[in-house]
Amino acid sequence: MSRTPDARARDNQTRKIQENITNVEKHFGEMCQMFAAYVRKTARLRDKADVLVREIGVYADMETPNLKRGMKQFADHLAKIQDYRQAEVERLEAKVIEPLKSYGAVVKRKREDLKTTQSARDREAKQMAQLERTRQRNPSDRQIIVSLPCFSFAESELQRATMDATRTTRQLEETIDEFEKQKIRDIKRIFGEFVTVEMSFHAKALEVYTLAYQSIQSVDEEEDLEVFRSSLHPPDYQSRLDIVRANSKTSLDRTGSFLSTSGTLQQQRASSRQTRREEEEEDDEEDEDESEEEEEDSDDEN
């Protein structure tokens, strides 16, 4: 039996609706899986960062004071970022993954609507075929065929089936139109939520990453180097060194004092010797004068 143009148009419509529902079911399911994998990766990154935070804290306890403080602050900031990442994971699960998962039930309902419409169309086609077979029994005398009870019943059933098929088709068109509208809105909303959640996380993370950078860059290298250099010597090394330096200074002071005293004595001795020499020279001169006077007196007496 040849299908009417209206029946063929409805078949094309059904096929198009079926393809649309199948595409939504397939690709929404795949997107849901990919987004879920993305969230799991994010959660694993959070867990790895928590391990890193603990390791930084353990190592910081073994370092010099300034570096320890800088590393502790860095670890605290990194831990805070992981709190934001946890919030990111929870929001993605609630605002992206769950709505995509819910489309499984939506697609199931649309398939049921399509099945109901298709069943009504199949009943219509069946009644049409049955009526056509009744006509074929005696095609030369239409009056006889129309007067048969079976023909009237078949024609009545066909009308009922046609009305039912028309009603379900109209309902399917309305529901699939609403489905398409809701699908577009949901994609816009879900993708928008994804971007909003990611932007919120990265904006907050950028602020804390900045603080983390500043905390580690503010470490006083010179002060920590002094602490490290001091740690290379035993605790009593400096005290012993101070004693040695003090003893060395005392010895030098004593030596300087001795040399100064010796120099003074030598100067005093030299001065005494000079004085004696001068006194002796004066005595010699006096003796010579006396001798000359005695000689002169002797000459006068003669």
Side-chain angles (χ1 to χ4, degrees):
M1 182 186 68
S2 176
R3 303 295 301 277
T4 63
D6 183 60
R8 288 195 295 269
R10 285 185 296 181
D11 287 345
N12 290 333
Q13 182 188 61
T14 301
R15 186 166 53 253
K16 182 65 176 178
I17 292 172
Q18 179 68 41
E19 290 176 356
N20 185 38
I21 293 174
T22 300
N23 287 336
V24 171
E25 182 180 37
K26 175 184 177 183
H27 294 290
F28 268 62
E30 291 180 352
M31 285 192 298
C32 183
Q33 291 179 1
M34 294 300 103
F35 275 118
Y38 180 93
V39 172
R40 288 195 299 271
K41 291 282 188 181
T42 303
R44 283 198 289 271
L45 179 59
R46 172 207 61 204
D47 295 340
K48 292 293 185 182
D50 287 339
V51 175
L52 176 60
V53 167
R54 289 194 294 271
E55 175 59 26
I56 292 174
V58 170
Y59 176 53
D61 289 332
M62 304 175 184
E63 272 298 339
T64 48
N66 280 285
L67 184 56
K68 176 182 178 179
R69 182 172 58 255
M71 291 180 70
K72 287 285 188 180
Q73 291 175 350
F74 182 89
D76 289 341
H77 292 315
L78 192 58
K80 189 174 183 180
I81 292 171
Q82 306 324 305
D83 293 338
Y84 292 147
R85 205 183 298 277
Q86 174 62 25
E88 174 196 12
V89 168
E90 294 173 355
R91 292 181 64 190
L92 287 176
E93 288 176 345
K95 296 180 177 294
V96 176
I97 296 176
E98 287 301 322
L100 288 173
K101 286 172 63 177
S102 69
Y103 256 78
V106 174
V107 168
K108 184 178 180 180
R109 289 195 299 270
K110 299 311 168 187
R111 285 193 181 280
E112 290 174 353
D113 293 340
L114 182 61
K115 184 178 179 181
T116 300
T117 302
Q118 189 61 43
S119 296
R121 291 176 180 176
D122 289 343
R123 285 195 300 272
E124 179 190 22
K126 182 179 179 181
Q127 292 300 325
M128 188 177 295
Q130 185 175 350
L131 182 62
E132 186 65 22
R133 284 195 300 270
T134 302
R135 287 174 178 169
Q136 292 298 327
R137 289 177 183 176
N138 194 353
S140 59
D141 194 347
R142 180 173 175 78
Q143 289 295 117
I144 296 175
I145 295 173
V146 171
S147 63
L148 294 175
C150 61
F151 182 83
S152 298
F153 178 77
E155 195 172 42
S156 176
E157 288 296 316
L158 175 60
Q159 290 177 354
R160 186 179 298 110
T162 300
M163 291 176 60
D164 188 42
T166 302
R167 178 180 58 81
T168 56
T169 298
R170 186 172 60 254
Q171 290 177 345
L172 179 63
E173 289 176 353
E174 293 174 355
T175 189
I176 206 67
D177 185 78
E178 183 62 29
F179 170 74
E180 187 68 16
K181 185 188 301 182
Q182 190 62 44
K183 179 195 72 177
I184 295 172
R185 290 175 179 173
D186 287 342
I187 289 176
K188 291 172 63 178
R189 177 176 56 83
I190 292 169
F191 284 18
E193 290 288 357
F194 173 78
V195 173
T196 300
V197 170
E198 290 297 292
M199 287 177 62
S200 176
F201 165 74
H202 287 293
K204 293 178 180 178
L206 181 60
E207 294 178 1
V208 183
Y209 274 128
T210 302
L211 296 176
Y213 179 85
Q214 292 173 348
S215 66
I216 200 65
Q217 294 301 317
S218 65
V219 172
D220 191 329
E221 300 175 18
E222 293 301 325
E223 186 173 337
D224 274 9
L225 279 173
E226 288 299 324
V227 173
F228 173 73
R229 289 162 183 164
S230 298
S231 69
L232 296 179
H233 304 294
D236 60 342
Y237 174 82
Q238 188 62 38
S239 61
R240 292 203 307 269
L241 184 60
D242 292 340
I243 292 171
V244 172
R245 288 174 177 172
N247 291 337
S248 298
K249 184 178 181 182
T250 302
S251 298
L252 290 173
D253 290 343
R254 288 176 179 175
T255 302
S257 177
F258 174 76
L259 292 174
S260 177
T261 304
S262 299
T264 301
L265 291 174
Q266 288 177 356
Q267 290 176 358
Q268 291 176 351
R269 290 171 182 170
S271 179
S272 299
R273 287 195 296 271
Q274 180 67 23
T275 302
R276 285 196 298 270
R277 282 197 299 270
E278 290 176 352
E279 291 175 350
E280 290 175 355
E281 289 176 356
E282 290 177 356
D283 291 341
D284 291 341
E285 289 177 356
E286 290 178 357
D287 290 341
E288 289 178 357
D289 291 338
E290 290 177 357
S291 298
E292 290 177 356
E293 289 178 356
E294 288 176 357
E295 290 178 357
E296 289 178 355
D297 290 340
S298 176
D299 290 336
D300 291 337
E301 289 177 358
N302 292 327

